[in-house]
Amino acid sequence: MEKYTSKILLIVIILITLAKLSLIGEGFMTFPDEVRYIPSGKVLENIAHLDIKEAAKSLNETQARPGETLIKTIPSALQYITAEVFGMETYESKNSYPLFLFNFLIYCLILLSLYKIAKLLLNNTILALFSILLYCCLVNGYIYIRHTLPYDCSLLIMSYVLLQILKITRDDTFSIKKALILGFIAFFGYVVYPGYILLFTLVFLMFMINKVTKDNFKQRIKYGVFYGIGSVLCLLFFEIIARIGGTSYIQDSITLSKTITQGDFNEGFSFLFKYLYNVESITGIIIIIGIVIFIGGLFYKIFKYEKLTAIHKLFIITALLFIAYASAGYFFHKMIWYGRLLHQFFFILALITTYSLWYLLQNIKYKQIIVLTISSIITLTFIFNLIEYKSYAYPQDIAWNIIKDNPGYELEEVCEYPLLKNMLEYAQEKNNISINNPDKKVIIVNACYYHPFNDKNLYHKYTPNNNMSLLLEKPYFHNYNGYLFEGCNIEQREMYKETNLTIRVYKK
């Protein structure tokens, strides 16, 4: 029965992972943050011209994310090649496939790394596979695959370091060299995306306390110092590169740390649970139940003076970091949670939920059938969530298609609310579209990025003229729940739901 269950779980994981390939070709360069991808291409151009100073400058044009810029030179180079070969613009929607496939590869490597972590902590193949299935079914696990954002790259690096730390602390195979290398790699993960400072801290604390005893405490402190030295060396490496380009990585990091203020400070402690309920739906509710059960079991172990395992320590550190961050926002108005910041912890939530489930089922005869039943429920939830996610449209994707299908037409943008960003500029510029023919016009409504979106008096629904025909109407991407928890406060989320924006295309 165990082999049968393992095979089923593995097959479902593979199918669910492959299903995410259906997301290819849409969403590229949608969010303002995605313009940080362009410096990766500049780095390649600068290097090609042997301009090291400009290359160093371009590497640090991403607000304290030079590691991400460096990594994304790989898909950027591929996009340059495919654009030349197939006669496309580098950043047009149809040329986003190299980036998507790169993101998909990173995602698959994350799953592999998380499986190895789960196998170490849960010591059971079925449980490890179930935890990966649970993670695979989470919207938060795959929502960033369409976009050029640094979250998954950083998560892959951090999870790799955590895996090595769990192995080293389990086998007691410490060395100065390993400590230096892991410290360097961990900080590189931070340089890729500084928003994961909590995960960086968690990994270091696991290095310090997992399997620590009175006998090896002093030795662990020594290796912790060298781990820190490795991190400092990575910091100095990127600071030197930044100085070559006439900037400062340290100064950029300080400036960036003061910008995490979009959202609602009052949601410091409730944001996670709102996200799980509103975005992840049934799967999120299962995780909430898993958290409650795990906390109950943890207190029971503590009161009984039972030895805590690595997974308990991992959760305790995570909980303390979460409380510290939430407190900084709720009480001192310093930090705010986003969905992308929760992303660094979702694999831990999948682990503890799996642990809690097995704890409840340990004395039940047909526990594997129950596991398969729950697997079926979260798989169906994933299917419904994926179908909904795919129903939303992105302005730039529509614009490129409209331009190609309607040559010679003037392209006009109409925003039903004051915009933060015109999302058609690149498409208009690269296709040499100018306003000179009022009789041949295509109007795209809501090809705009709105932030903040919270004043009903500023919203005005567009009414087309009688001589215009509707070519297309699709739900506006930011209405999707997964995106509404990326910097929107309660009021903004409610207004998005009330207005129910759509992207509409009219032809005159």
Side-chain angles (χ1 to χ4, degrees):
M1 183 64 181
E2 289 186 7
K3 289 184 178 180
Y4 178 75
T5 304
S6 297
K7 286 181 179 179
I8 291 176
L9 291 174
L10 179 59
I11 290 170
V12 175
I13 289 170
I14 292 172
L15 291 175
I16 285 176
T17 302
L18 292 176
K20 289 160 190 170
L21 288 171
S22 65
L23 298 173
I24 198 167
E26 296 184 36
F28 175 59
M29 299 296 282
T30 292
F31 295 100
D33 283 357
E34 293 188 71
V35 298
R36 296 191 179 107
Y37 179 58
I38 295 176
S40 295
K42 291 182 180 179
V43 171
L44 293 173
E45 290 180 359
N46 298 145
I47 292 175
H49 291 92
L50 301 179
D51 192 338
I52 303 303
K53 184 176 181 179
E54 280 300 313
K57 182 180 178 181
S58 297
L59 194 70
N60 287 276
E61 287 182 354
T62 53
Q63 289 185 301
R65 298 173 176 88
E68 169 70 355
T69 308
L70 185 62
I71 290 174
K72 288 295 174 64
T73 56
I74 299 171
S76 185
L78 293 174
Q79 281 189 281
Y80 271 105
I81 294 170
T82 53
E84 290 294 322
V85 172
F86 299 107
M88 296 183 289
E89 291 298 329
T90 305
Y91 302 121
E92 73 169 276
S93 296
K94 288 185 178 179
N95 196 37
S96 65
Y97 292 87
L99 174 76
F100 180 92
L101 293 174
F102 177 83
N103 288 345
F104 185 77
L105 175 62
I106 295 295
Y107 176 74
C108 291
L109 292 175
I110 287 173
L111 295 184
L112 181 60
S113 180
L114 297 186
Y115 171 75
K116 292 180 178 180
I117 290 173
K119 193 72 182 296
L120 273 174
L121 294 176
L122 301 172
N123 197 30
N124 182 293
T125 301
I126 292 177
L127 297 185
L129 288 171
F130 178 81
S131 70
I132 298 305
L133 175 60
L134 185 58
Y135 182 82
C136 280
C137 290
L138 292 169
V139 171
N140 189 269
Y142 63 85
I143 193 172
Y144 307 114
I145 294 180
R146 281 178 160 177
H147 307 288
T148 172
L149 297 167
Y151 319 134
D152 275 346
C153 289
S154 181
L155 179 59
L156 175 60
I157 295 167
M158 295 289 194
S159 65
Y160 169 79
V161 176
L162 177 60
L163 174 62
Q164 300 309 312
I165 285 172
L166 290 173
K167 287 180 179 179
I168 290 171
T169 52
R170 179 197 63 184
D171 302 330
D172 194 19
T173 54
F174 289 90
S175 71
I176 292 174
K177 181 180 178 181
K178 286 180 180 179
L180 285 169
I181 293 174
L182 289 176
F184 189 97
I185 296 174
F187 196 84
F188 179 70
Y190 171 81
V191 171
V192 170
Y193 183 54
Y196 288 176
I197 180 63
L198 297 179
L199 185 55
F200 173 78
T201 305
L202 181 149
V203 169
F204 172 70
L205 291 176
M206 282 298 291
F207 181 85
M208 295 300 297
I209 72 169
N210 192 39
K211 300 288 185 180
V212 69
T213 63
K214 291 181 180 180
D215 295 331
N216 65 14
F217 179 74
K218 289 184 178 179
Q219 186 185 51
R220 190 67 62 89
I221 292 293
K222 180 185 75 172
Y223 290 122
V225 169
F226 283 101
Y227 183 101
I229 291 172
S231 295
V232 171
L233 289 175
C234 185
L235 167 64
L236 292 176
F237 174 76
F238 280 97
E239 179 65 17
I240 291 170
I241 292 176
R243 295 287 181 174
I244 292 172
T247 60
S248 170
Y249 168 73
I250 295 174
Q251 185 57 52
D252 287 346
S253 297
I254 294 172
T255 302
L256 180 67
S257 67
K258 300 176 182 178
T259 63
I260 311 175
T261 56
Q262 296 177 356
D264 196 326
F265 290 111
N266 293 324
E267 292 186 303
F269 294 99
S270 62
F271 187 86
L272 169 63
F273 303 100
K274 287 183 177 181
Y275 189 99
L276 287 169
Y277 180 79
N278 289 284
V279 179
E280 304 297 350
S281 61
I282 295 175
T283 308
I285 293 171
I286 290 173
I287 289 178
I288 292 173
I289 294 171
I291 293 172
V292 173
I293 295 171
F294 190 91
I295 292 173
L298 177 62
F299 278 115
Y300 179 81
K301 272 186 169 289
I302 293 173
F303 290 142
K304 288 288 187 178
Y305 297 101
E306 295 181 9
K307 187 176 181 181
L308 298 180
T309 64
I311 194 169
H312 292 104
K313 293 175 183 177
L314 185 67
F315 175 77
I316 291 171
I317 296 171
T318 303
L320 291 175
L321 290 173
F322 176 86
I323 292 170
Y325 188 95
S327 298
Y330 188 85
F331 296 112
F332 305 105
H333 289 192
K334 296 295 183 181
M335 302 291 185
I336 290 179
W337 285 115
Y338 308 144
R340 56 186 177 268
L341 294 180
L342 293 178
H343 189 60
Q344 61 190 308
F345 295 129
F346 265 87
F347 77 95
I348 298 174
L349 299 183
L351 282 170
I352 66 168
T353 300
T354 303
Y355 183 92
S356 299
L357 173 65
W358 203 249
Y359 178 80
L360 286 180
L361 300 178
Q362 58 185 331
N363 296 320
I364 297 178
K365 184 177 181 180
Y366 300 106
K367 52 180 172 287
Q368 293 180 25
I369 294 177
I370 297 176
V371 169
L372 290 176
T373 301
I374 296 175
S375 298
S376 300
I377 293 171
I378 63 176
T379 299
L380 286 173
T381 304
F382 161 77
I383 293 171
F384 290 131
N385 285 340
L386 183 68
I387 292 171
E388 182 192 358
Y389 184 38
K390 283 172 60 63
S391 69
Y392 290 85
Y394 302 88
Q396 184 166 249
D397 301 334
I398 289 176
W400 279 100
N401 291 331
I402 292 297
I403 289 169
K404 299 295 184 183
D405 295 340
N406 298 274
Y409 274 73
E410 173 193 338
L411 187 66
E412 182 179 327
E413 178 187 46
V414 173
C415 300
E416 296 182 326
Y417 189 87
L419 77 162
L420 174 67
K421 176 189 175 185
N422 176 354
M423 305 188 74
L424 305 184
E425 289 179 349
Y426 182 74
Q428 290 172 317
E429 175 191 345
K430 295 303 179 180
N431 288 278
N432 297 316
I433 293 176
S434 58
I435 301 175
N436 53 22
N437 193 343
D439 296 324
K440 296 181 69 177
K441 182 183 293 186
V442 172
I443 296 174
I444 302 182
V445 181
N446 290 323
C448 325
Y449 188 85
Y450 304 126
H451 191 85
F453 188 74
N454 56 6
D455 189 342
K456 295 179 182 178
N457 296 322
L458 297 178
Y459 172 73
H460 301 286
K461 190 174 180 64
Y462 175 74
T463 303
N465 296 329
N466 293 330
N467 62 342
M468 294 181 181
S469 59
L470 181 66
L471 294 183
L472 178 148
E473 183 174 12
K474 288 189 175 183
Y476 179 71
F477 73 98
H478 216 158
N479 286 349
Y480 183 58
N481 266 330
Y483 293 141
L484 289 179
F485 283 79
E486 296 289 351
C488 294
N489 59 29
I490 299 171
E491 183 181 3
Q492 292 165 11
R493 292 198 291 267
E494 288 302 317
M495 186 167 168
Y496 268 114
K497 291 176 181 177
E498 288 177 15
T499 53
N500 195 26
L501 297 174
T502 59
I503 300 174
R504 306 186 299 281
V505 179
Y506 297 95
K507 190 173 184 179
K508 183 177 180 181

